Amino acid sequence: MSTGAVRLYNTMTQRVEPLEPAEPGHVRVYVCGLTTYDHAHAGHARTLVAFDVLVRFLRARNYRVTFVRNVTDVDDKILKRAAERGESPLALSERMSRVNADELRACGCLDPDLEPRVSESVPAIVRLIEQLVAREAAYVAETDKGRDVYFAVRAFPGYGKLSHRNVDDLVSGARVEPGDIKRDPLDFALWKASGDGGFGWDSPWGKGRPGWHIECSAMAAEALTPHFDVHGGGMDLIFPHHENEIAQSEAAWGEPFARLWMHSGFVKIDAEKMSKSLGNFVTIAQILERNDGEALRYFLLGAHYRVPIDFDLEKRPDGRVVFPGVDEAERRVDYLYATRETLAATAAGAKPAIEGDTPAAKTVRSAVDRVLAALDNDLNTSVALSILAELAPAANDVALQVARAKKDAKAVARGQALAAAALEAIDACCRPMGLLQTPAPVFFARTQARRLGLRGMDAADVESKVRDRAAARAAKDFAKADGLRAELTEMGIEIQDVSGGDRTTWRVLV
Ligand SMILES: [Zn+2]
């Protein structure tokens, strides 16, 4: 596999550009992570799944990737929530950071190579603020709690270059609040005084805590040096967060901050319809009660990462809320795992080989290159999934042909080799998107357990009905057997008679 074909949309230049890492072959990526005070929602999942695909795909394209994702464990929202709960802010954020990490892992996100936290980065943050003050890009202002430090936006001539905004237009929209101690309404806090009794760290300006934006400048530079390749986050971070990161970093170090800026689109929910039942967001935890994390990932990858996604919800007559788009994605993920199982059984250890020019052979031969080409093109996962959706049925056809060719040893051997090649192709197509990363029996066991639970059933109930049906069939009481099948169907159980009807398998539908 070659490198050099990857092209990504750069928010800074507003163009799709070739990825050209500063150090050839090594891509250094920084992504703004979660503020850990509550459950992560579908919008967070979308952003972090998109950047997980970036990392996995670059590795599939033979790049070395250093992936940094921070944890914002000091923030006003955390302080407020902790005060409401009577908990220490760092205890709350530590607890929620573990919950959030599990939520992201459930969506198939790899852990980052480095995961800096604000609470552990205060010395680096203080050093950076000192440097900005020394360069007169920042100034100290007295408050009743002590001394704050603000970034002087007018001192940085490039302000607005990422969000393509003009400083004067920004000023007309900003208001100076009465009693505001900032010199200019656009200036933002680097350090906030907390008073002697408040939460914070000692600093040259007294006790306080960092403002939000400064942390990412300091942590990215510590982890990756002040100049690195890709900076990512959700689209809502472009302004002011990322604009401010650029201003702080470039004012302090004088060299360009990130080379390429990537931003994922929003997840939209019909707020009016949903506000009464669920609020205007759905958490990953709520989705995981009903669906597999891999189904959520597949659903999110169905749209290109920059376009908005509509997250549909449907309220059932019994009051349950379901997610039809994720349900459909879960059926597709089921099908991919089942396809993989079928191929492994068909290939029976054969050496992969693609002979001839049958439609199936052509599909198997071209699939991986087509998927990688789609991902080369600014991570076009929706096209990649559509190629996978051609490959899987073609692969199932190969398995069917092998089963039918029983007596033709040559055809069986050719088919088994093609099945082995199809299996390899499916894996190579799925790997960069983080799909099919679970052993199939584990996936089937966990989805079955969850689906039975949702339907209030246990496996023993189903087994006993399946056995009764088999007994009825053996006794040639077909009316009873059909009645039991109808009952199982009604329960959401799909049964399949295998090995000429001697054995029945069953599965719970999504
Ligand atoms: Zn950030």
Side-chain angles (χ1 to χ4, degrees):
M1 260 177 261
S2 63
T3 57
V6 179
R7 283 167 295 125
L8 298 166
Y9 182 83
N10 186 352
T11 306
M12 180 75 84
T13 60
Q14 299 179 300
R15 277 197 300 269
V16 176
E17 295 177 356
L19 174 70
E20 285 164 349
E23 182 191 323
H26 179 197
V27 186
R28 294 168 304 154
V29 181
Y30 183 93
V31 174
C32 295
L34 297 170
T35 302
T36 50
Y37 73 109
D38 206 342
H39 289 286
H41 58 68
H44 299 127
R46 196 216 186 158
T47 298
L48 297 170
V49 164
F51 288 102
D52 182 71
V53 170
L54 173 72
V55 170
R56 288 176 183 271
F57 168 60
L58 292 177
R59 286 177 180 154
R61 276 298 197 201
N62 293 331
Y63 282 103
R64 180 184 156 212
V65 180
T66 303
F67 171 38
V68 184
R69 189 181 72 203
N70 75 305
V71 173
T72 299
D73 65 349
V74 176
D75 178 272
D76 288 348
K77 292 192 281 280
I78 296 171
L79 296 181
K80 185 167 175 278
R81 180 68 55 89
E84 285 163 8
R85 298 177 58 99
E87 193 175 5
S88 103
L90 291 181
L92 168 71
S93 53
E94 166 60 28
R95 185 163 53 77
M96 287 317 296
S97 74
R98 275 181 273 134
V99 169
N100 291 159
D102 284 343
E103 289 166 346
L104 296 181
R105 285 182 200 124
C107 302
C109 292
L110 296 169
D111 288 345
D113 299 307
L114 293 162
E115 194 169 35
R117 289 165 183 256
V118 181
S119 63
E120 292 165 1
S121 308
V122 173
I125 292 170
V126 167
R127 279 198 302 277
L128 174 54
I129 299 174
E130 283 184 302
Q131 205 164 340
L132 289 168
V133 172
R135 292 190 161 219
E136 294 180 354
Y139 58 93
V140 179
E142 297 288 340
T143 77
D144 48 3
K145 286 183 181 167
R147 284 183 293 166
D148 285 356
V149 185
Y150 291 93
F151 185 86
V153 166
R154 298 267 179 192
F156 180 69
Y159 197 79
K161 64 182 175 180
L162 178 70
S163 54
H164 307 98
R165 296 177 193 219
N166 175 301
V167 173
D168 293 319
D169 293 344
L170 289 169
V171 173
S172 68
R175 282 196 310 145
V176 184
E177 301 294 333
D180 207 332
I181 49 173
K182 294 190 287 188
R183 289 181 192 165
D184 188 292
L186 291 180
D187 295 350
F188 56 90
L190 302 175
W191 189 261
K192 296 180 184 179
S194 57
D196 287 338
F199 172 82
W201 289 262
D202 290 329
S203 79
W205 315 285
K207 197 170 181 189
R209 61 195 153 80
W212 172 32
H213 314 295
I214 194 70
E215 66 183 63
C216 288
S217 290
M219 290 190 277
E222 282 263 294
L224 296 173
T225 75
H227 177 64
F228 57 94
D229 303 300
V230 179
H231 194 315
M235 213 162 259
D236 51 333
L237 297 186
I238 297 174
F239 187 87
H241 183 55
H242 288 165
E243 196 71 71
N244 291 355
E245 283 187 38
I246 292 170
Q248 295 158 161
S249 304
E250 297 188 0
W253 295 303
E255 55 182 315
F257 190 43
R259 298 162 79 86
L260 201 144
W261 289 83
M262 291 176 69
H263 294 98
S264 60
F266 294 122
V267 174
K268 291 185 171 172
I269 284 180
D270 185 350
E272 191 179 276
K273 194 164 126 200
M274 288 315 305
S275 57
K276 287 176 199 148
S277 46
L278 276 181
N280 62 349
F281 62 89
V282 177
T283 65
I284 297 173
Q286 285 170 318
I287 297 164
L288 294 179
E289 282 172 21
R290 176 161 174 88
N291 292 105
D292 197 79
E294 187 163 351
L296 174 59
R297 167 177 280 255
Y298 190 105
F299 168 77
L300 296 169
L301 297 182
H304 183 252
Y305 74 93
R306 286 199 288 123
V307 304
I309 292 187
D310 281 312
F311 192 92
D312 48 340
L313 306 115
E314 196 179 292
K315 199 163 179 180
R316 293 276 164 86
D318 60 6
R320 282 184 309 136
V321 173
V322 300
F323 315 116
V326 188
D327 280 353
E328 178 54 28
E330 189 156 320
R331 285 188 274 274
R332 288 168 190 244
V333 173
D334 265 4
Y335 174 67
L336 287 176
Y337 274 106
T339 301
R340 211 189 169 284
E341 289 278 272
T342 303
L343 289 175
T346 301
K351 201 165 155 250
I354 308 171
E355 276 179 46
D357 262 327
T358 61
K362 282 185 186 167
T363 303
V364 173
R365 191 179 287 125
S366 65
V368 180
D369 283 347
R370 290 171 66 211
V371 162
L372 292 176
L375 297 175
D376 277 340
N377 183 19
D378 194 26
L379 298 184
N380 201 329
T381 52
S382 63
V383 170
L385 288 186
S386 71
I387 295 160
L388 196 55
E390 290 170 32
L391 174 60
N396 276 303
D397 269 354
V398 172
L400 201 62
Q401 297 304 329
V402 172
R404 283 183 186 153
K406 268 177 194 161
K407 283 174 193 146
D408 181 347
K410 252 186 158 173
V412 167
R414 205 168 47 233
Q416 285 179 321
L418 185 54
L423 183 58
E424 273 192 353
I426 285 189
D427 283 346
C429 292
C430 286
R431 199 176 304 122
M433 290 189 278
L435 296 170
L436 298 196
Q437 297 300 298
T438 304
V442 175
F443 175 82
F444 285 125
R446 82 183 178 207
T447 49
Q448 172 161 308
R450 202 195 53 251
R451 290 173 199 169
L452 284 170
L454 284 170
R455 292 172 184 274
M457 301 188 297
D458 64 46
D461 298 340
V462 180
E463 294 283 0
S464 102
K465 281 200 199 308
V466 169
R467 266 199 311 274
D468 290 351
R469 174 176 168 270
R473 273 160 57 101
K476 300 208 182 305
D477 186 349
F478 294 114
K480 187 177 176 191
D482 288 349
L484 283 160
R485 176 190 271 266
E487 225 175 284
L488 286 160
T489 305
E490 185 67 19
M491 290 159 66
I493 306 294
E494 182 187 79
I495 57 174
Q496 202 177 1
D497 296 316
V498 289
S499 312
D502 321 340
R503 199 162 63 82
T504 302
T505 60
W506 59 271
R507 64 190 198 102
V508 196
L509 299 175
V510 177

